[in-house]
Amino acid sequence: MKTKRLLFLMIFVLSGILSVSAQSKFSVGLKAGFGIPSLTAGSKTTPLSENYSSRFGFYGGLITELQTSEHFGFRAELNYSSQGGKRNGMQALPVSSDLATLWQMLPGFGVQTDGYMYASIKSEAILNYLEIPVMAKYRFKLGEKISFYAQAGPYLGILLNAKNVTSGTSSIYVDKAGQIPIDGILQQAQLPVIGQQSFDHTEKINSEIHRVNAGIQGALGFGLKVKTGEIFIEGGGNYGLIHIQKDDANGTNNTGAGTVVVGYLFNF
């Protein structure tokens, strides 16, 4: 339902743009900069979806803009947006197939688990989207050539690719605190210990993530008029309203990022 409402709002805004386009000033341009995305845990969290912090990613794209009056206008964009988050330290991992039998034996050794194994490693979830925002824009002059503006509106995001990158070497533990190494259990079971393991691995996770996202986006910026158009710098953010995971067993995270970009608009 959220996606349908946002699509309706985008169509409504686009209809408004088209209705006033004949008497409007038209501009096209480019912008480029960086985002500082993270993954916000939703109402249903699991050890797999917790404790993400921010990462850096590219953010930029193409711009079309209609200024319908001295102060008011509309902007539509086509952006590449790198979303995601990272974790560093003790974190949950799914139980690997070669350890599944051992996991079933753990209660017999007096060990209770939450269904996950743990390792002290680094991991980074990288989700790259094509985002299409449609925003209303309000500006006012600070001088003959300098203006300040604010813009906001809905966006539609299409997932291009998604991967999870892990790195580091660690023992495997059966508890979040890292107090019970699995090698101790293996010794009790008179089985060969596995020692520290390398977690240097990249896994594609497209099949686990919703292909489409939708949310809200906004920014504040300054523009400087030049002969052929306008140079601008802006800071803003976006937030996805749809949980990215297809399966709630993996948690319910939302994407979001702060953004800083510079760009140029050519006037026609």
Side-chain angles (χ1 to χ4, degrees):
M1 290 300 294
K2 290 180 180 178
T3 305
K4 291 181 179 179
R5 290 172 184 172
L6 284 166
L7 284 173
F8 177 80
L9 180 57
M10 292 177 74
I11 292 170
F12 177 78
V13 174
L14 283 170
S15 299
I17 292 173
L18 293 173
S19 68
V20 298
S21 60
Q23 60 265 30
S24 300
K25 294 180 181 179
F26 181 68
S27 304
V28 297
L30 299 167
K31 70 175 186 179
F34 62 90
I36 310 175
S38 188
L39 295 173
T40 305
S43 57
K44 183 177 180 180
T45 62
T46 75
L48 294 173
S49 64
E50 297 173 331
N51 302 321
Y52 277 99
S53 61
S54 298
R55 57 179 292 268
F56 282 91
F58 177 79
Y59 180 75
L62 305 174
I63 304 166
T64 61
E65 186 168 298
L66 285 170
Q67 186 173 343
T68 58
S69 67
E70 181 182 358
H71 297 290
F72 192 72
F74 296 95
R75 179 186 281 193
E77 301 179 350
L78 181 66
N79 297 322
Y80 179 92
S81 178
S82 187
Q83 300 277 349
K86 64 181 181 180
R87 296 188 290 183
N88 188 7
M90 193 67 67
Q91 54 194 274
L93 303 167
V95 176
S96 58
S97 57
D98 56 338
L99 292 175
T101 301
L102 176 64
W103 231 250
Q104 296 173 2
M105 297 168 53
L106 290 179
F109 293 95
V111 178
Q112 299 297 323
T113 74
D114 57 5
Y116 300 93
M117 59 184 186
Y118 291 85
S120 183
I121 57 173
K122 294 180 180 180
S123 67
E124 188 171 15
I126 302 173
L127 314 174
N128 297 319
Y129 287 89
L130 184 68
E131 292 181 350
I132 308 169
V134 178
M135 295 175 286
K137 180 175 180 178
Y138 183 86
R139 72 164 68 226
F140 59 89
K141 292 183 178 180
L142 298 176
E144 184 178 347
K145 294 186 176 181
I146 300 175
S147 62
F148 174 79
Y149 62 85
Q151 60 191 28
Y155 80 84
L156 180 70
I158 301 171
L159 183 69
L160 300 175
N161 54 71
K163 60 184 178 180
N164 192 64
V165 181
T166 57
S167 62
T169 301
S170 173
S171 297
I172 298 176
Y173 301 88
V174 300
D175 64 318
K176 187 182 295 188
Q179 300 296 316
I180 309 175
I182 196 169
D183 279 345
I185 306 300
L186 289 169
Q187 287 177 338
Q188 292 184 53
Q190 297 183 341
L191 296 172
V193 299
I194 60 176
Q196 291 205 333
Q197 299 290 303
S198 172
F199 287 89
D200 296 342
H201 180 65
T202 298
E203 179 184 7
K204 293 182 179 180
I205 56 173
N206 295 53
S207 60
E208 301 174 17
I209 306 298
H210 286 296
R211 181 71 188 276
V212 175
N213 202 343
I216 53 176
Q217 178 173 319
L220 302 174
F222 292 91
L224 173 65
K225 283 188 176 181
V226 294
K227 288 185 178 180
T228 58
E230 181 182 66
I231 299 169
F232 65 88
I233 181 171
E234 66 185 37
N238 52 65
Y239 185 77
L241 299 176
I242 299 174
H243 300 316
I244 61 171
Q245 294 95 338
K246 291 181 179 179
D247 187 350
D248 286 356
N250 294 323
T252 53
N253 291 95
N254 294 79
T255 62
T259 58
V260 178
V261 298
V262 294
Y264 191 88
L265 284 169
F266 296 90
N267 293 332
F268 290 91

